Amino acid sequence: MKQIGHFIDGELVPGNSGRQKDIYNPNTGDIQAQVNLATPEELDAAVASAAKAQVLWHNTNPQRRSRIMFAYKQLVESHIDELAALLSSEHGKVLADSRGDVIRGVDVIEFACGVPHAQKGEHTYGAGPEIDVYSMRKPLGVVAGITPFNFPAMIPMWMFGMAIATGNACILKPSEKDPSVPMRLAELFVQAGGPRGLLQCINGDKEIVDAICDHPTIKAVSFVGSSDIAQYVYSRATSNGKRAQCMGGAKNHGIIMPDANMDQAVKDILGAAYGSAGERCMALPVVVPVGEGTAERFLEKMLPAIDSMRVGVSEDKEADYGPVVTREHRDSIKAQVTKAVGEGAKLLVDGRDFSLQGYENGFFIGPSLLDNVTPDMETYQDEIFGPVLQIVRAKTFEEAIKLPSEHQYGNGVAIFTQNGRAAREFADRVEVGMVGINVPIPVPVAYHSFGGWKRSAFGDANQYGMEGLRFYTKVKTVTQRWPEGETEDSAFIIPTF
Ligand code: NAD
């Protein structure tokens, strides 16, 4: 059986904790590998190596750092087929979607190649008499990234791409459900000419997450995962004096205004609700048809569209989505659908009993569609993270703004309309961090930044873009003068210019 250890000091090491976790093939339900769960002592070794590598790296001029990032981008791109296959085999998403996972991560590496420009400081000549002021953005030192199972390529690259380009060393702690792609990404970094020790990959569970939050050498923690854990990591890391950005769960709404192009809205919502089996923090699991008759017009097109979807194994090129990540997760999705019915929702499409011929032990679940969902239902409040779409009918535009605004999560939201004025007002007033206007999954491009509001993100800085650069650097400001001649008398009042 394949054994997955860690990537420490530029080497694959087996891991010596004696604690392991099974990795499944979600298509077949078989255990295909075991991952070692690191000890705090193994983390210490990784941090020591990272700290050593970082000293040289932060003194490497930015254009040289950029060249390494550029070589890395090219190397990852040339391994995309291998990475996508590995990703699908542990996560279950279809191959084309796995490629997208890698590509969206590479986009951040590409942005990070611009670090010589982006990390330039500011300068004021003559801020006072013969006084110049300049500021620089210094790296923090050793930082850590803790990632979820659902984007095992993109999210690690969001973090270590920005962290390393700006002069830090990074300890990556991937999800223990699908660690092979992050491990491979770390190996490729060294192959691309990245200094050994700069990117370490430590596998583990809560024990190692706690050790990261408590480690005195680690200066910042970036986390993406579910909200309760995000909040826990945020408070533990910040109470230890670290900088932290912790992204959490989501329940994104898709608002359909009466004037929406319904054919397009249905196509967009179908992909956004069920793509990747709904295991995306920017999925659209709630649809809000607004006004009289909009829900009926939506259902008229949505029901046949769901019927035409194909659920299949990850390698099936015709499949719209594959299995979910684990058996437990599939069972929890089924339980949520059952609970929704108990709460009074109307189950229009029931995916609970779906089974794929020849793959009966795989973690497959069919699409479900629930109508008459109301805000008081727990299954509306909670994140289901599966191929389940819930319809909450709204009478007015005001109600459509209120629903996502009052939800505990505030990651993304989309509005489908042909009315620019309504869309503009919606985007302005809705209490959500990322808004799509006729765009179902508004994940910002790499040179903007990603982050939700409310319980979808703890901490101030967003991921990647200039926000990411700021998160991984601290500002130092120098005020200098080079006076000539006699020294001046002491000044007892604060200097004013
Ligand atoms: P998760 O919270 O179970 O795990 C995330 C990370 O936390 C993993 O590395 C895991 O090892 C670690 N972890 C798990 N339990 C822990 C504990 N008790 N103490 C300390 N660490 C612990 O999340 P997941 O199931 O891997 O991923 C799905 C979740 O991530 C969903 O809620 C999804 O919405 C969210 N997500 C959010 C974003 C975003 O940017 N907002 C992006 C992707 C996924």
Side-chain angles (χ1 to χ4, degrees):
M1 170 113 27
K2 178 177 161 188
Q3 298 291 321
I4 302 167
H6 317 291
F7 189 73
I8 299 180
D9 200 30
E11 304 279 347
L12 288 172
V13 296
N16 56 24
S17 68
R19 283 203 311 131
Q20 284 163 328
K21 197 166 187 303
D22 293 334
I23 309 281
Y24 291 90
N25 176 342
N27 291 293
T28 59
D30 296 335
I31 297 170
Q32 57 165 327
Q34 284 179 321
V35 62
N36 257 269
L37 306 174
T39 60
E41 291 70 36
E42 286 169 304
L43 176 69
D44 281 344
V47 172
S49 150
K52 207 166 130 211
Q54 196 265 336
V55 174
L56 285 176
W57 181 242
H58 98 263
N59 286 319
T60 302
N61 70 42
Q63 59 274 30
R64 289 191 179 199
R65 281 189 258 133
S66 166
R67 283 175 206 142
I68 300 271
M69 299 314 286
F70 192 72
Y72 182 59
K73 166 186 140 61
Q74 290 181 310
L75 193 64
V76 173
E77 281 169 339
S78 70
H79 283 75
I80 189 159
D81 291 336
E82 175 206 332
L83 289 165
L86 196 55
L87 200 160
S88 287
S89 74
E90 289 183 355
H91 178 288
K93 64 175 86 172
V94 294
L95 275 172
D97 204 25
S98 292
R99 291 175 70 88
D101 192 331
V102 178
I103 291 167
R104 289 303 292 254
V106 171
D107 285 353
V108 173
I109 306 296
E110 185 177 73
F111 174 77
C113 293
V115 75
H117 177 69
Q119 202 175 353
K120 271 193 314 203
E122 294 175 329
H123 186 268
T124 303
Y125 180 80
E130 296 189 306
I131 291 177
D132 306 326
V133 179
Y134 64 91
S135 63
M136 48 190 145
R137 290 205 158 265
K138 304 285 270 181
L140 305 179
V142 179
V143 301
I146 301 166
T147 55
F149 80 85
N150 69 323
F151 279 100
M154 177 181 83
I155 295 178
M157 285 192 268
W158 284 1
M159 297 175 181
F160 71 71
M162 293 310 301
I164 291 178
T166 49
N168 299 282
C170 185
I171 308 281
L172 178 65
K173 204 303 281 174
S175 166
E176 61 275 45
K177 292 178 189 143
D178 50 5
S180 289
V181 167
M183 288 285 283
R184 192 76 187 109
L185 288 173
E187 265 188 291
L188 290 175
F189 184 71
V190 174
Q191 268 183 42
R196 295 158 75 94
L198 217 50
L199 177 57
Q200 316 264 348
C201 195
I202 286 282
N203 287 304
D205 56 4
K206 176 174 165 49
E207 184 178 337
I208 213 68
V209 171
D210 287 351
I212 287 172
C213 292
D214 298 346
H215 203 291
T217 308
I218 295 176
K219 300 297 179 211
V221 176
S222 180
F223 173 95
V224 177
S226 52
S227 288
D228 288 348
I229 314 285
Q231 188 167 19
Y232 165 76
V233 168
Y234 181 76
S235 54
R236 188 154 180 156
T238 52
S239 71
N240 281 315
K242 298 185 199 319
R243 207 175 262 197
Q245 53 170 191
C246 299
M247 277 53 195
K251 192 91 180 203
N252 308 320
H253 294 52
I255 313 298
I256 307 182
M257 294 300 286
D259 66 349
N261 175 337
M262 195 58 85
D263 287 317
Q264 188 61 52
V266 164
K267 283 182 193 161
D268 285 348
I269 291 167
L270 190 75
Y274 298 111
S276 198
E279 293 173 315
R280 289 185 185 135
C281 67
M282 287 296 273
L284 269 193
V286 177
V287 65
V288 182
V290 180
E292 193 100 347
T294 309
E296 282 66 32
R297 287 194 297 116
F298 171 70
L299 284 173
E300 197 184 311
K301 292 180 192 295
M302 192 63 170
L303 286 167
I306 293 176
D307 206 35
S308 70
M309 259 190 325
R310 179 177 167 107
V311 182
V313 289
S314 313
E315 301 79 26
D316 177 352
K317 288 197 168 62
E318 304 296 314
D320 295 304
Y321 73 82
V324 299
V325 69
T326 57
R327 186 173 288 115
E328 293 72 41
H329 188 47
R330 184 199 56 195
D331 293 346
S332 108
I333 298 166
K334 284 188 186 183
Q336 288 278 33
V337 174
T338 305
K339 183 173 168 184
V341 174
E343 288 181 313
K346 191 169 161 194
L347 187 57
L348 299 181
V349 181
D350 184 357
R352 286 174 296 180
D353 292 333
F354 177 88
S355 163
L356 189 68
Q357 208 182 358
Y359 294 88
E360 286 77 8
N361 293 325
F363 310 143
F364 293 94
I365 178 164
S368 291
L369 179 65
L370 291 153
D371 197 1
N372 299 343
V373 173
T374 51
D376 55 309
M377 294 178 183
E378 277 182 25
T379 47
Y380 166 76
Q381 290 300 336
D382 294 341
E383 182 182 42
I384 298 176
F385 219 56
V388 181
L389 179 61
Q390 294 169 294
I391 302 173
V392 183
R393 295 172 180 231
K395 289 196 174 65
T396 61
F397 178 64
E398 283 305 313
E399 215 185 311
I401 294 183
K402 205 169 153 208
L403 281 164
S405 296
E406 292 188 350
H407 200 280
Q408 61 164 329
Y409 298 119
N411 216 36
V413 70
I415 184 166
F416 299 91
T417 179
Q418 302 197 54
N419 181 334
R421 195 177 170 78
R424 187 171 183 270
E425 181 178 346
F426 180 83
D428 181 44
R429 289 176 53 201
V430 72
E431 293 286 313
V432 172
M434 291 173 281
V435 181
I437 297 174
N438 299 315
V439 171
I441 305 185
V443 175
V445 290
Y447 44 96
H448 283 257
S449 70
F450 183 106
W453 288 7
K454 298 178 282 182
R455 283 184 60 73
S456 292
F458 302 87
D460 299 323
N462 276 3
Q463 299 278 347
Y464 64 77
M466 290 306 285
E467 288 262 325
L469 180 134
R470 285 182 204 109
F471 179 75
Y472 292 112
T473 55
K474 55 190 173 190
V475 177
K476 181 180 278 185
T477 308
V478 179
T479 303
Q480 66 172 7
R481 66 175 181 159
W482 305 96
E484 240 185 343
E486 293 285 301
T487 56
E488 295 160 15
D489 290 343
S490 304
F492 294 97
I493 56 163
I494 185 153
T496 53
F497 306 121

